């Protein structure tokens, strides 16, 4: 009876989504893809331009260049002064920014719905007419160096994550940080950036995603007008850089001036894009939710509240990536507990998943939460755009986001057990530990970096 | 094919927005609590914010008490333990969260409006609110977690600077001088009795506002509010907070930290939510340091000189005067230069005010972007909670753009000259050697 009621809930939940309009897809003759998702709740529109380029397209010596180029995209074109793009968007009541990740670079504006043309006009402009200026680059390299110091060098957990990724991934480009190594940031040249821009910034390597109170056909006409004339270019062919097999457990210690130890454990796993067995990434998502779904997950219940071995501990599976990923568990020991105790407690949790089936009740709970999330997510125009943009840019069909709920619903307890046994093994594991040291003991690059600059 | 579902859906989706039709409804619950309701029928969900005047400003000499009390609420009730509460929400896909900031203590619930799911979520939420059991074991654990949080703070130069800044711009005995996250000594002093007393004093109907946004009609929203508040004692509103004193002289506080950057925070007490200079100061700061990359401060620090990634300024208007604060981080050896540029930019702005062109650009940005601030249920709920809590006038939303457009260059210059005094500001620098 209880279960029947829950299943009723699950079917009820899927119904209301029908009132949200489906996205509409177009392709321009120059190869640019346009996806429009109407959402009429507010007189607002989000416009995002996604390029298939990010730090996983980079190689040693120029790491972080996708992110650097993202900064330079605000520094003027043949038609606009440096920062004029930002001023124009501001004067139109908009907000704007950009972000770079491993698999994508995206630019976005949020505007009142009748201002969409402003976004399209200037995005089309900087897609083809970027002016890379030597003096602007010099300043912006300093800005990015400061960004790196703030996010990573002076942030012990940032340092741990960076060292962890560089250890877990040997030849996969997920090895290097999105922002790049400091020495690479210091040595970009105008030619490096021009080459990167010419290589990847083309309409046939871009997806425009528009979400908001708009008519798809009108957006299409606008796109034809502004993006239509941009000429298609030959886009570089990406080398596979498939990660070599891992032959044993890896361990990395980061000693940094810090107050708290921190632990990061990661197991190599396939993602939706790379999986030979289609359901496995979804089973790994369910497994992550069994361990960590806020206050009701096993970690919160057993490690934080029960054993009180962790002050906080989380599990994360990123199924939406271009290349194989690591399933990451990270945490901080509770007061008076050690990294070793936390590690043992996490391993015990993994062992339980490998030896006993997740209960029907837990499985139902997780599925209900996923379905509820799919409703809640629609509260954010920006997030709706993100979902479409990420899928499209990593080379998946954006319609997969609609299928996500069904794919999670199809996961069985046996499948969770199977992925736990298959992937949570030592020859896929990397362990990273942050060991706090006093400031005097510290020889971290954070302190060395300060003196390297000429100006 | 492209239009097949479109035409169908166009019939089903109606366009309702806060700005287009400000159909915000207000009433009082039967025990006197103000209820604000915005009907948003497009998504099958409901957001609730229950806000009490029980933030860190009410900590008295036990810094951290408001936050600890707030985080204890979902640890147990008369009939449920922590695990059961967590499961009850999760089983129906509901999300509970709670927070305690400077002024506000907030309990939030997001739930689907499906009958059974909402009933379970609301029952649990109501129990948390009205019959928390404050278990001893949870108390010890949460206090330990806060101690861990304080350690995390001490490895972040930005967090160290924020704490020192807050302590430095308020008199030692002002309730705003300490941080919501507490302090080692005060946390050690807090007892379970303190938490119970704090709950009984501040989590009462006369000290609350309720905001409901979502797919309900007025009748359902009224019933919901009644259910939430029915068993909450009436109590009394929190006492007025002491007025904030101006700083009497400029102070520089340099804190050594093993970081490659120095975090710089400069400022003074700023303004309240009801400040008569609210609009000139708000619009003026938008031009000076509040509009991201296009602000004057970011222009001088980042765009012209490449000195920092994030340089900005803000007024944080609260019950009593919240801070005016300028922030940047830069490599240790250029901290003095960045500080000099920051102060010069501020002095110039105070002396000259903005240009007419800068003012118009800011007005266009603020008024043209008004809809963006209210384009989701969660943003609407947060905004209404702010309005309800600070008792802003009913016409705040409908006349917001008009008031922004009425601000003149002279008003901004006048307000900045009267209200900001660079020579009496606090400067906090956290980092390595700056020469």
């Amino acid at each position: 009876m209880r279960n029947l009621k829950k299943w009723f809930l699950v079917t009820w939940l899927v119904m209301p989504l029908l009132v949200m309009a489906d996205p509409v897809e177009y392709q321009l003759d120059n190869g640019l893809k346009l996806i429009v998702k109407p959402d009429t709740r507010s007189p607002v529109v989000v416009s995002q331009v996604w390029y298939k380029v990010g730090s996983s397209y980079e190689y040693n010596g120029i790491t972080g260049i996708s992110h650097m180029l993202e900064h330079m995209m605000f520094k003027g074109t043949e038609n606009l002064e440096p920062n004029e793009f930002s001023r124009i968007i501001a004067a139109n009541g908009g907000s704007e920014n950009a972000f770079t990740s491993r698999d994508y670079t995206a630019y976005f504006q949020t505007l009142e719905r009748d201002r969409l043309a402003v976004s399209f006009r200037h995005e089309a402009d900087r897609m083809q007419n970027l002016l890379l200026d030597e003096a602007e680059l010099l300043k912006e390299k300093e800005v990015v160096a400061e960004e790196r110091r703030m996010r990573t060098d002076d942030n012990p957990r940032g340092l741990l994550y960076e060292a962890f990724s560089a250890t877990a991934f040997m030849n996969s480009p997920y090895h290097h940080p999105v922002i790049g190594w400091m020495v690479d940031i210091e040595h970009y040249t105008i030619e490096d950036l021009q080459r990167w821009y010419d290589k990847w910034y083309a309409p046939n390597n871009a997806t425009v995603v528009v979400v908001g109170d708009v008519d798809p056909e009108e957006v299409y006409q606008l796109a034809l007008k502004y993006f239509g004339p941009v000429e298609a270019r030959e886009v570089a062919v990406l080398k596979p850089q498939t990660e070599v097999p891992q032959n044993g457990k890896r361990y990395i210690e980061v000693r940094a001036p810090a107050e708290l130890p921190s632990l990061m454990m990661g197991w190599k796993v396939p993602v939706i894009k790379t999986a030979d067995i289609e359901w496995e990434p979804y089973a790994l998502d369910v497994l992550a939710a069994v361990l960590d779904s806020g206050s009701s997950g096993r970690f919160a219940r057993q490690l934080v509240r029960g054993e009180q071995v962790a002050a906080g501990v989380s599990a994360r599976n990123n199924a939406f990536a271009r290349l194989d990923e690591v399933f990451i568990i990270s945490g901080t020991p509770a007061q008076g507990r050690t990294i070793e105790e936390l590690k043992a407690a996490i391993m015990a949790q993994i062992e339980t998943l490998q030896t006993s089936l997740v209960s029907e009740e837990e499985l139902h709970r997780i599925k209900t939460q996923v379905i509820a999330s799919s409703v809640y997510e629609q509260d954010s125009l920006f997030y709706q755009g993100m979902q479409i943009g990420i899928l499209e840019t990593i080379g998946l069909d954006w319609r997969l986001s609609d299928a996500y709920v069904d794919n999670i619903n199809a996961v069985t307890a046996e499948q969770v057990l199977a992925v736990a046994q298959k992937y949570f093994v030592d020859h896929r594991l990397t362990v990273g530990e942050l060991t706090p040291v006093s400031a005097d003991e510290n020889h971290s690059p954070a302190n060395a970096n300060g003196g390297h600059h000429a100006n | 094919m492209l239009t097949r579902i479109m035409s169908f859906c166009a019939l089903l989706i109606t366009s309702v927005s806060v700005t287009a039709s400000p159909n915000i409804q207000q009433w009082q619950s039967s025990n006197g609590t103000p209820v604000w309701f915005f009907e948003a029928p497009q998504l099958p969900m409901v957001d609730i914010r229950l806000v009490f005047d029980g933030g860190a400003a009410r900590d008295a000499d036990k810094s951290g008490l408001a936050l600890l009390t707030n985080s204890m609420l979902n640890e147990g009730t008369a009939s449920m333990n922590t695990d059961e509460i967590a499961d009850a929400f999760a089983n129906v896909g509901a999300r509970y969260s709670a927070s305690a900031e400077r002024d506000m203590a907030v309990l939030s619930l997001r739930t689907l409006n499906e009958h059974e799911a909402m009933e379970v979520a609301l029952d649990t939420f109501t129990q948390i609110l009205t019959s928390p059991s404050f278990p001893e074991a949870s108390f010890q654990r949460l206090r330990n977690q806060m101690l861990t949080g304080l350690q995390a703070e001490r490895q972040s130069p930005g967090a160290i600077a924020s704490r020192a800044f807050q302590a430095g711009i308020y008199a030692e005995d002002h309730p705003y001088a300490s941080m919501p996250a507490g302090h080692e000594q005060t946390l050690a002093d807090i007892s379970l009795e303190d938490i119970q007393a704090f709950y009984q004093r501040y989590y009462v109907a006369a000290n609350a506002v309720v905001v409901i946004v979502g797919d309900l009609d007025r009748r359902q929203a009224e019933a919901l509010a009644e259910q939430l508040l029915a068993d909450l004692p009436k109590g009394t509103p929190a006492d007025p907070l002491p007025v904030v004193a101006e700083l009497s002289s400029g102070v520089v506080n340099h804190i050594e930290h093993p970081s490659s950057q120095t975090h710089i925070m400069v400022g003074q007490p700023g303004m309240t939510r009801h400040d008569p200079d609210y609009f000139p100061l708000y619009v003026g700061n938008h031009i000076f340091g509040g509009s991201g990359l296009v602000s004057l401060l970011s222009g001088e620090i980042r765009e012209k000189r490449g000195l920092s990634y994030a340089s900005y300024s803000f007024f944080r208007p609260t019950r009593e005067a919240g801070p005016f604060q300028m922030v940047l981080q830069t490599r240790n050896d250029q901290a003095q230069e960045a500080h000099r540029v920051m102060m010069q930019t501020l002095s110039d702005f105070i002396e000259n005010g903005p240009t007419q062109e800068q003012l118009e650009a800011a007005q266009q940005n603020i008024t043209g972007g008004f809809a963006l601030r209210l384009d989701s249920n969660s943003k609407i709920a947060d905004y209404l909670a702010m309005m309800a809590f600070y008792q802003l006038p009913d016409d705040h939303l409908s006349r917001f753009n008009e008031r922004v457009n009425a601000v003149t260059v002279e008003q901004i210059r006048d307000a900045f000259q009267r209200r900001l005094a660079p020579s009496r500001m606090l400067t906090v620098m956290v980092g390595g050697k700056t020469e």
Side-chain angles (χ1 to χ4, degrees), chain B residues 210-421:
Chain B
V210 175
V211 171
I212 303 167
V213 175
D215 186 10
L216 296 175
D217 60 28
R218 165 75 181 247
R219 190 186 50 77
Q220 291 170 309
E222 279 178 14
L224 191 160
E226 288 305 316
Q227 181 193 334
L228 276 181
L229 300 164
D231 291 332
L232 208 58
K234 180 131 180 48
T236 54
D239 297 330
L241 293 170
V243 171
V244 174
E246 297 288 317
L247 292 174
S248 53
S249 61
V251 173
V252 179
N253 181 4
H254 194 156
I255 300 170
E256 282 284 323
H257 189 78
S259 51
S260 61
Q261 282 186 320
T262 296
H263 286 242
I264 304 176
M265 293 181 187
V266 181
Q268 61 167 73
M271 65 169 164
T272 72
R273 265 287 159 199
H274 293 276
D275 201 293
D277 288 323
Y278 181 89
F279 280 93
L281 291 177
Y282 167 70
V283 177
N285 181 68
H286 191 84
I287 299 164
F288 174 70
S291 47
L293 296 180
V294 300
S295 75
L296 297 178
L297 187 60
S298 182
E300 293 296 323
I301 298 286
R302 174 170 163 163
E303 305 304 334
K304 278 195 195 156
R305 296 178 177 81
L307 286 170
S308 182
Y309 173 66
S311 51
Y312 54 89
S313 69
F314 58 86
F315 283 92
R316 193 193 305 125
T318 37
R319 187 77 82 196
E320 287 302 323
F324 165 75
Q325 196 165 344
M326 299 185 285
V327 179
L328 66 78
Q329 345 63 41
T330 191
R331 208 170 76 209
N332 289 326
D333 67 329
Q334 48 193 22
Q336 299 296 348
E337 184 198 352
H339 179 248
R340 185 187 57 73
V341 175
M342 177 189 258
M343 295 314 291
Q344 187 62 50
T345 310
L346 178 65
S347 304
D348 290 350
F349 188 75
I350 291 174
E351 193 184 327
N352 305 318
T355 64
Q356 185 60 34
E357 198 186 354
Q358 287 165 346
L359 173 61
E360 281 167 21
Q363 286 166 332
Q364 282 173 33
N365 181 240
I366 296 168
T367 60
F370 189 69
L372 275 55
R373 270 175 269 175
L374 298 162
D375 67 0
S376 68
N377 291 6
S378 61
K379 285 189 203 170
I380 292 169
D382 287 341
Y383 207 95
L384 295 189
M386 184 277 291
M387 285 178 66
F389 182 81
Y390 290 113
Q391 295 165 298
L392 297 192
D394 293 349
D395 64 0
H396 174 79
L397 279 172
S398 57
R399 297 190 60 195
F400 185 85
N401 279 358
E402 178 191 326
R403 285 172 176 140
V404 167
N405 281 330
V407 171
T408 65
V409 166
E410 290 68 34
Q411 284 172 352
I412 291 174
R413 187 166 49 216
D414 171 61
F416 271 68
Q417 287 179 354
R418 279 186 293 106
R419 302 296 295 274
L420 295 187

Side-chain angles (χ1 to χ4, degrees), chain A residues 241-252:
Chain A
Q241 293 187 274
T242 317
E243 175 74 358
V244 294
Q246 183 173 337
N247 296 318
K249 185 168 152 181
R250 293 178 192 159
Y251 176 80
I252 179 93

Side-chain angles (χ1 to χ4, degrees), chain A residues 365-379:
Chain A
R365 181 156 65 226
I366 285 157
K367 290 174 180 180
T368 306
Q369 286 178 286
V370 168
I371 292 161
S373 295
S374 72
V375 174
Y376 302 153
E377 281 160 4
Q378 301 195 41
D379 194 32

Side-chain angles (χ1 to χ4, degrees), chain B residues 135-164:
Chain B
E136 170 73 27
S138 296
F139 167 59
Q140 299 299 346
R141 171 170 52 77
L142 289 174
R143 181 160 61 182
N144 279 335
Q145 284 179 13
M146 285 179 75
L147 290 172
T148 301
L150 293 179
Q151 284 181 284
E153 222 184 76
R154 284 199 304 269
Q155 61 190 32
S156 159
I160 294 168
S162 293
R163 181 177 282 266

Side-chain angles (χ1 to χ4, degrees), chain A residues 311-325:
Chain A
V313 55
S314 67
R316 187 178 72 94
N317 185 52
N318 176 23
F320 296 101
R322 199 169 61 77
L323 303 168
D324 282 350
E325 257 283 15

Side-chain angles (χ1 to χ4, degrees), chain A residues 162-217:
Chain A
E162 189 171 86
F164 170 86
S165 298
T167 307
F169 296 109
M170 203 170 263
N171 67 312
S172 161
Y174 288 173
H175 170 93
H176 61 258
V178 171
I179 199 165
W181 304 112
M182 188 63 102
V183 66
D184 292 349
I185 295 171
E186 288 166 340
H187 291 91
Y188 304 135
T189 64
I190 282 285
E191 292 72 33
D192 292 332
L193 285 150
Q194 188 68 51
R195 220 172 290 135
W196 207 246
Y197 179 70
D198 292 342
K199 211 166 164 176
W200 303 112
Y201 280 61
N204 40 320
N205 197 43
T207 304
V208 176
V209 180
V210 175
V211 184
D213 190 5
V214 289
D215 170 45
E217 192 54 34

Side-chain angles (χ1 to χ4, degrees), chain B residues 4-5 22-23 27 79 117 120 160 250 315 327 372 388 411 420 422 424:
Chain B
R4 74 197 147 91
I5 294 186
N23 53 350
W27 64 88
S79 65
V120 172
I160 294 168
F315 283 92
V327 179
L372 275 55
Q411 284 172 352
L420 295 187
R424 286 185 282 124

